[in-house]
Structures are given as structure tokens and as C-alpha cells.
Amino acid sequence: MEYKPNLLPNLLDDFPSDLTLSETLQKLVRELSQCVETLRETHELVSPQLAELEQRYPNALTKRDDQRSMGRASSSYPA
């Protein structure tokens, strides 16, 4: 997922400036809890589809595999 630098300032804009530190932290905890729940739901939806793709294409390279093979020499022979 791509990092969006404008997300945090927009989130903070929604908070009134007269909140105490404790109130601000409580609001942030609620926001993070909602994010966690959204991620959990997304994982539940995507996980079975990912498992099916991994079964269909067991030899497919992941992005991590591609980066590893392209970024470093993986041979046991010294250069």
C-alpha cells in the first residue's frame, strides 16, 4: 500500500485545537481501533483469495522474491 503523506494532517485537522492531550490521545486510539477493525475485515476477505492464488500458482514469484533476486547476488560463489 502506498504511503500518503497528507493523511496525517487531514486527520489532525478534524480534531478541535482546544482538546487536552488526554482527549486527543483517546480520539486517536478510537481512530486506530477503527483502522485495526478495517484491516481485520480486509484480511478476512482477501486471505481466502490469496490462499487460492497460491494454490493455483505455487511457483509464482512474490515482489519480495523479485527484489531479492534483482537486488543482490544470490550465488554461493564469490564475485
Side-chain angles (χ1 to χ4, degrees):
M1 180 170 264
E2 183 181 330
Y3 173 71
K4 297 181 180 178
N6 292 333
L7 181 63
L8 187 58
N10 290 341
L11 177 64
L12 295 177
D13 288 344
D14 293 339
F15 285 73
S17 60
D18 60 343
L19 290 180
T20 65
L21 178 59
S22 177
E23 292 168 329
T24 302
L25 290 174
Q26 288 173 1
K27 284 180 122 349
L28 288 171
V29 165
R30 283 194 295 276
E31 289 287 333
L32 288 172
S33 296
Q34 289 176 351
C35 290
V36 167
E37 185 58 32
T38 300
L39 284 172
R40 197 172 282 128
E41 291 170 1
T42 302
H43 174 74
E44 289 172 5
L45 292 172
V46 172
S47 181
Q49 296 170 356
L50 179 59
E52 182 181 338
L53 286 172
E54 287 174 341
Q55 282 183 331
R56 284 187 184 185
Y57 308 101
N59 296 325
L61 292 176
T62 63
K63 186 174 181 181
R64 185 178 63 215
D65 293 334
D66 282 345
Q67 289 174 343
R68 181 176 33 218
S69 66
M70 292 173 63
R72 288 183 239 140
S74 58
S75 173
S76 59
Y77 299 104

